[in-house]
């Protein structure tokens, strides 16, 4: 395999990742605002100026990251006067442009395995699909590509199945999902890094994991949304499904699972909201596919571990999301495993994660995959991770952090696989 980390623009090439008629974020700013004792102040200015937030809610969070267009900057700064603020992105458009210096991936030898230079840059969705196929083709005795189903727009929801000496399907399943939210590009790369390590690592423990579990890894579960972030709007989050009651598009795939879907406070009923839960439980096209695939594994050998990989905030969490008062069975074991995982993460690059139940650690989430996996698919363990960083870059994480994120997250995952 050959990978050249050079800009598409420098080559003058057209591709699926070429930027045309995209949402323009030039001179937008991203602010971190300490909410203070009067949450209504920040809530009011966000509502008045119709601003989007990356992280937190004024009503429930101590800090909120807010995206502000150039025309609203003066009004916003006046509106939050008296609150502590910090500028995270001085020019969001420039940050995005730097991040989108895509690597060019060329499959030149079908017998050779992809190498680690893949993790030096972000890539087009077409290259992601090809890279995963090349990885599986290089290890035919231990891996194959599967397609769980089709997205709304007809794209494959493609994954890689990895197994060991017992043969495929002989062990309990480990299921990892990435890119549920389209703009979380670092999750795609980090999930791919985990698959890469399972097949290429010479470490004895890493090699042994394949003999212990069957792995079903889907780096991009929201391919339509991901493609849209590369063609039209880098900060798109949801899928691309229409809503009969609105002109707004998309459902939040992680608010649409048929588990406490109608729980108040854990998702939005507004089709224009980024955490819109949909018109009915499980009515997102992608959710139907993902549910059927997970249910199939559960009905076979069972699910030992389900993990949904997100960004950002550096959190390692477990059920429940839908309630802050309920306690998951074997919560002490969950807490112990999570503490061990975040210690393993920190040992790699010094990155500090926080662990705990979803609802009390980040916010209430209803209709989530993690709760569904725990309560419906009966996974022995079900977790979610929020990767780098804590907000300095947020969703627009520089490419030089891809490999460190992969390395440290793999250390945490490996801890789980060895100790759960």
């Amino acid at each position: 395999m050959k990978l050249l980390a050079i800009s598409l623009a420098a080559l003058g090439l057209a591709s699926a990742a070429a930027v045309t008629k995209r949402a323009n974020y030039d001179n937008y700013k991203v602010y971190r605002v300490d909410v203070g004792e009067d949450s209504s102040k920040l809530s009011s200015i966000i509502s008045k100026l119709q601003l989007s937030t990356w992280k937190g809610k004024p009503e429930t969070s101590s800090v909120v990251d807010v995206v502000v267009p150039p025309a609203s900057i003066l009004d916003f700064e006046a509106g939050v006067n008296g609150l502590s603020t910090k500028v995270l992105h001085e020019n969001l458009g420039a940050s995005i442009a730097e991040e989108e210096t895509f690597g060019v991936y060329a499959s030149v030898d079908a017998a050779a395995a992809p190498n680690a230079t893949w993790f030096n840059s972000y890539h087009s969705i077409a290259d992601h699909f090809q890279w995963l196929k090349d990885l599986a083709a290089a290890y035919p005795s231990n891996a194959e590509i599967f397609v769980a189903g089709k997205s709304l727009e007809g794209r494959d929801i493609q994954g890689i199945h990895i197994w060991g000496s017992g043969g495929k399907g002989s062990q309990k399943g480990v299921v990892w999902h990435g890119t549920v939210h389209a703009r979380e590009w670092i999750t795609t790369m980090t999930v791919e890094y985990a698959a890469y390590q399972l097949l290429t690592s010479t470490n004895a423990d890493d090699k042994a994991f394949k003999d212990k579990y069957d792995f079903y890894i889907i780096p991009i579960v929201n391919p339509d949304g991901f493609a849209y972030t590369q063609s039209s709007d880098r900060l798109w989050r949801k899928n691309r499904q229409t809503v009969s009651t609105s002109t707004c598009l998309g459902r939040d795939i992680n608010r649409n699972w048929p588990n406490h879907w109608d729980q108040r406070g854990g998702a939005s009923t507004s089709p224009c909201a980024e955490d819109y839960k949909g018109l009915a439980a499980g009515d997102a096209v992608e959710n139907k596919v993902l549910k059927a695939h997970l249910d199939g594994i559960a009905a076979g050998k069972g699910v030992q571990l389900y993990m949904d990989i997100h960004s950002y905030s550096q959190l390692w969490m477990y059920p429940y999301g839908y309630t802050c008062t309920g306690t998951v069975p074997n919560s002490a074991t969950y807490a112990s495993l999570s503490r061990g995982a975040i210690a393993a993460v920190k040992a790699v690059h010094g990155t500090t994660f926080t662990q705990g139940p979803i609802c009390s650690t980040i916010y209430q989430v209803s209709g989530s995959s993690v709760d569904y996996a725990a309560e419906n698919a009966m996974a022995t363990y079900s977790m979610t991770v929020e990767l780098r960083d804590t907000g300095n870059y947020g969703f627009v994480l520089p490419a030089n952090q891809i490999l460190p994120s992969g390395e440290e997250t793999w250390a945490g995952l490996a801890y789980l696989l060895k100790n759960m």
Side-chain angles (χ1 to χ4, degrees):
M1 301 301 169
K2 186 178 181 182
L3 177 66
L4 302 176
I6 48 182
S7 168
L8 292 176
L11 284 174
L13 295 176
S15 82
V19 178
T20 57
K21 297 181 180 179
R22 297 207 55 182
N24 184 359
Y25 291 99
D26 289 348
N27 298 312
Y28 277 59
K29 289 187 178 184
V30 181
Y31 294 81
R32 170 156 291 179
V33 184
D34 288 332
V35 176
E37 296 181 359
D38 183 9
S39 62
S40 63
K41 186 173 187 178
L42 179 57
S43 181
S44 175
I45 195 67
I46 289 174
S47 177
K48 177 183 176 182
L49 299 178
Q50 296 185 311
L51 303 177
S52 63
T53 59
W54 276 8
K55 173 183 177 180
K57 300 177 181 179
E59 300 78 14
T60 57
S61 306
S62 59
V63 297
V64 178
D65 296 347
V66 188
V67 182
V68 185
S72 299
I73 288 174
L74 292 178
D75 287 340
F76 177 79
E77 291 183 342
V80 298
N81 185 39
L83 299 178
S84 177
T85 63
K86 174 185 177 182
V87 176
L88 303 179
H89 287 274
E90 186 69 38
N91 183 341
L92 182 56
S95 299
I96 290 172
E98 181 179 355
E99 181 198 44
E100 289 183 330
T101 302
F102 289 116
V104 178
Y105 178 73
S107 176
V108 295
D109 184 354
N115 61 57
T117 55
W118 171 259
F119 302 101
N120 291 342
S121 60
Y122 293 103
H123 303 276
S124 72
I125 186 170
D127 282 353
H128 279 291
F129 285 161
Q130 188 59 52
W131 181 87
L132 202 66
K133 290 174 181 174
D134 290 344
L135 182 64
Y139 298 92
S141 298
N142 295 105
E144 68 180 6
I145 292 295
F146 67 87
V147 175
K150 296 286 188 179
S151 69
L152 173 73
E153 296 176 351
R155 293 182 176 87
D156 286 345
I157 298 178
Q158 175 184 281
I160 185 169
H161 178 193
I162 298 173
W163 64 87
S165 58
K168 62 181 178 180
S170 61
Q171 305 294 333
K172 289 190 74 172
V174 169
V175 182
W176 292 333
H177 286 170
T179 331
V180 175
H181 295 142
R183 62 192 177 190
E184 297 170 9
W185 286 10
I186 188 61
T187 71
T188 319
M189 304 296 299
T190 301
V191 172
E192 289 172 342
Y193 186 86
Y196 179 80
Q197 285 298 109
L198 283 170
L199 289 171
T200 66
S201 176
T202 58
N203 176 279
D205 285 339
D206 293 352
K207 293 170 67 176
F209 295 146
K210 296 191 295 292
D211 294 332
K212 195 172 182 181
Y213 302 111
D214 271 60
F215 293 84
Y216 304 87
I217 303 170
I218 307 179
I220 306 173
V221 304
N222 181 9
D224 296 350
F226 185 64
Y228 192 75
T229 65
Q230 297 192 338
S231 68
S232 302
D233 186 350
R234 172 64 186 86
L235 298 180
W236 185 259
R237 169 183 164 106
K238 300 181 285 184
N239 75 353
R240 296 292 299 162
Q241 196 166 343
T242 58
V243 183
S244 61
T245 59
S246 173
T247 57
C248 292
L249 287 177
R251 288 153 172 75
D252 184 339
I253 292 176
N254 201 37
R255 302 295 188 280
N256 192 245
W257 288 77
N259 177 279
H260 301 279
W261 174 82
D262 58 352
Q263 182 81 31
R264 292 294 177 261
S268 177
T269 58
S270 170
C272 299
E274 291 186 330
D275 60 346
Y276 175 53
K277 66 180 185 176
L279 291 170
D283 71 340
V285 172
E286 293 78 10
N287 280 80
K288 295 179 189 297
V289 171
L290 298 170
K291 176 184 177 299
H293 184 251
L294 183 61
D295 288 349
I297 298 168
K301 294 293 183 176
V303 179
Q304 176 69 11
L305 173 66
Y306 172 81
M307 290 203 70
D308 200 4
I309 313 297
H310 289 266
S311 71
Y312 61 97
S313 285
Q314 294 175 197
L315 305 173
W316 201 288
M317 300 176 289
Y318 48 88
Y320 295 116
Y322 73 89
T323 176
C324 290
T325 57
T327 302
V328 67
N330 62 332
S331 60
T333 304
Y334 265 114
S336 176
L337 286 171
S338 297
R339 284 194 296 269
I342 65 174
V345 168
K346 188 171 185 177
V348 180
H349 294 294
T351 309
T352 300
F353 276 57
T354 299
Q355 64 89 21
I358 296 168
C359 188
S360 58
T361 304
I362 186 168
Y363 42 61
Q364 187 179 15
V365 180
S366 56
S368 76
S369 61
V370 173
D371 286 350
Y372 180 89
E375 294 192 325
N376 300 78
M378 304 306 294
T380 306
Y381 297 104
S382 183
M383 296 183 175
T384 185
V385 173
E386 295 278 352
L387 301 175
R388 292 187 177 200
D389 57 5
T390 56
N392 287 334
Y393 297 102
F395 297 121
V396 188
L397 196 69
N400 63 12
Q401 296 200 33
I402 295 171
L403 185 58
S405 177
E407 291 169 340
E408 67 195 13
T409 306
W410 173 248
L413 294 173
Y415 178 88
L416 292 184
L417 296 173
K418 188 174 182 179
N419 293 282
M420 64 184 178

